[in-house]
């Protein structure tokens, strides 16, 4: 390990342990028994992932966020949904179970390998979201946007709005980035019909927000 770097033990929800450095990278390059693949349970499914894949830290977060997304989107059988920034398929699985035809996009090949295993009923694309949106179907009923701290950004938000989804669930871990994307959505004729904040990082100032965005016209009707 490089001089000046600290090492931290992180306990996963299944009680296995990881050794990571202060930039959250695995210290050991070699997979060690018990820290290679992990299984998490959420929203009625098992999710296989590895130490490189995203998973919420708070043990109640995955179920809480899935509940908020489903409550807000009210998915109907047969509806098409894009799960953008899908990780290992958490929201994709819940939406498939609600009867949707789901398509997940995520740039981590390893996360997509796990997502295909976790939610075999869905389609997945391993690519940057902005690139994938150039080839995904031009219409969708629903969208889940769960970007990293930088937010989705102008290109992604515009490509989503062009498809005129009935509703968008925006899961935000950074309020400032969310505010920028929300401004873009407002300019594109969408408005928030629900905004919920969750204290998923207790004793810190961080909040997770789930916003439901709907087209101005149908929201007013
Ligand atoms: C906040 S996590 C959400 C993961 C998943 N929705 C979940 O709840 O488990 C954001 C995910 O976006 C992925 N990601 C970040 N930037 C991306 C990009 N430009 N295109 C595709 N995926 C990206 C990360 O690898 C990560 O899995």
């Amino acid at each position: 390990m490089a001089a000046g770097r600290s090492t931290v033990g992180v306990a996963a929800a299944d009680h296995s342990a990881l050794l990571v450095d202060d930039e959250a990278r695995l210290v050991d390059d070699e997979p060690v028994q018990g820290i290679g693949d992990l299984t998490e349970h959420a929203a009625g499914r098992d999710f296989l992932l590895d130490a490189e894949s995203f998973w919420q830290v708070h043990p109640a977060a995955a179920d809480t966020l899935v509940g908020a997304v489903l409550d807000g989107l009210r998915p109907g059988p047969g509806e098409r949904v894009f799960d953008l920034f899908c990780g290992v398929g958490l929201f994709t699985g819940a939406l498939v179970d609600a009867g949707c035809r789901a398509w997940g996009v995520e740039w981590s090949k390893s996360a997509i390998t796990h997502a295909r295993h976790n939610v075999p009923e869905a389609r997945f694309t391993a690519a940057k979201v902005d690139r994938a949106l150039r080839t995904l179907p031009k219409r969708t009923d629903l969208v889940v946007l769960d970007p990293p701290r930088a937010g989705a950004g102008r290109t992604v938000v515009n490509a989503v709005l062009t498809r005129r989804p009935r509703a968008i669930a925006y899961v935000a871990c950074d309020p400032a980035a969310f505010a920028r994307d929300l401004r873009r959505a407002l300019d594109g004729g969408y408005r928030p019909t629900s905004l919920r904040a969750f204290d998923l990082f207790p004793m810190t100032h961080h909040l997770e927000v789930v916003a439901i965005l709907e087209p101005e016209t149908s929201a007013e009707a």
Side-chain angles (χ1 to χ4, degrees), residues 42-53:
R45 283 179 181 253
D46 286 331
F47 290 87
L48 198 65
L49 56 146
D50 65 17
E52 307 285 324
S53 307

Side-chain angles (χ1 to χ4, degrees), residues 54-55 85-87 90-91 106-108 127-129 146-148:
F54 179 89
W55 192 259
F85 309 92
C86 70
L90 172 65
F91 298 116
E106 157 70 47
W107 71 5
S108 159
K128 285 184 73 177
V129 166
D146 185 10

Side-chain angles (χ1 to χ4, degrees), residues 157 161 179 181-192 213 216:
V157 171
L161 298 187
D181 286 338
L182 179 58
R183 176 74 261 169
R184 292 167 183 137
L186 292 172
D187 291 344
Y190 278 69
R191 66 164 206 173
L213 310 177
E216 191 92 35

